[in-house]
Amino acid sequence: MTALPFPDESFGAFLFDMDGTILSSIAAAERVWAAWAMRHGVDVASFLPTIHGRRASETIRQLNLPEIDLAAEVAALAQAEIDDIDGIESIAGAVAFLDALPADRWAIVTSAPRRLALRRLEAAALPVPRLLITGEDVSYGKPAPDCFLLAADRLGQAPRDCLVFEDAPAGIQAAEAAGARVVVVTATHAHRVETPHPTIAGYGHFAPRIDAVGRLTLAGIATPSINGL
């Protein structure tokens, strides 16, 4: 039986990272970034683990490459990622989980630009939320808390009343800095995650519920055995 995260707590809103949290885009993203890295003489094997959860501008800036047009590189990468959606799919159970949430009580908070986020949500057949916070909406991207603080504010919730679903270290740090609770989604992780936060492999064993005072909670879903017992 999968352990239920925060079984005795309730929340004002749920905030979801996108890539690696509600959909898997690792193969597509790494194809695009690997090609970019090779063009710029960057070691692909050591570089690819650093791309996840951060805005492209901050990922490139940390390399300190000489004579690079940052805006042009970011725009080209975004278009390449928009063009490559092969293999993008939703995390198990994510569609049903998101569909069950009240529209004014959840948001997607991603480092991706808006056009790319919408493209990937469409490719994964995931619902587009009423509130979508992207890397273009804040001055400082993850691991800064700005994106989660903005999402909480626009939903009319205190950050401490929000539960953040994340998968990448930069996003987890951003949620912690915002003062939110965190669930780490491990569906796309190749190795065991060391984290003090609860973890889930997907959403198939859980469902959102509204309690008697209108707060969001997580409920477990029993999985029938083969013989129905």
Side-chain angles (χ1 to χ4, degrees):
M1 179 66 181
T2 303
L4 182 66
F6 303 108
D8 302 316
E9 298 190 44
S10 62
F11 303 90
F14 289 168
L15 308 179
F16 299 85
D17 173 53
M18 185 180 71
D19 297 295
T21 299
I22 57 174
L23 63 83
S24 176
S25 60
I26 288 179
E30 291 194 348
R31 280 194 299 270
V32 170
W33 279 95
W36 180 89
M38 286 188 287
R39 287 197 302 273
H40 290 278
V42 175
D43 180 71
V44 173
S46 61
F47 173 63
L48 286 184
T50 73
I51 71 172
H52 302 292
R54 302 172 68 95
R55 297 190 299 187
S57 58
E58 287 150 350
T59 299
I60 296 171
R61 191 178 289 117
Q62 71 182 357
L63 295 172
N64 295 314
L65 297 175
E67 299 180 4
I68 193 168
D69 185 334
L70 182 60
E73 296 293 340
V74 168
L77 277 162
Q79 188 59 55
E81 291 193 279
I82 287 168
D83 293 339
D84 187 347
I85 58 170
D86 187 37
I88 291 177
E89 58 185 7
S90 63
I91 300 297
V95 174
F97 192 94
L98 297 177
D99 281 342
L101 287 167
D104 61 345
R105 304 289 290 280
W106 72 282
I108 291 174
V109 184
T110 176
S111 295
R114 183 168 296 271
R115 285 179 61 227
L116 177 57
L118 293 172
R119 176 72 162 156
R120 285 183 173 169
L121 290 172
E122 178 185 31
L126 284 164
V128 177
R130 184 179 297 177
L131 179 61
L132 172 62
I133 301 295
T134 73
E136 298 162 327
D137 296 318
V138 292
S139 297
Y140 301 98
K142 302 173 184 177
D146 303 38
C147 54
F148 289 121
L149 295 174
L150 179 61
D153 180 67
R154 290 191 178 175
L155 290 175
Q157 304 290 335
R160 66 179 179 276
D161 265 346
C162 295
L163 179 60
V164 170
F165 294 76
E166 261 288 358
D167 75 303
I172 294 168
Q173 292 171 38
E176 291 171 340
R181 299 296 184 91
V182 182
V183 170
V184 178
V185 182
T186 63
T188 62
H189 290 194
H191 305 287
R192 180 178 176 85
V193 179
E194 297 298 331
T195 176
H197 304 293
T199 64
I200 60 173
Y203 301 86
H205 294 285
F206 310 103
R209 297 284 187 263
I210 302 291
D211 68 13
V213 294
R215 305 259 300 167
L216 288 171
T217 64
L218 285 171
I221 299 176
T223 303
S225 63
I226 295 175
N227 60 11
L229 298 177

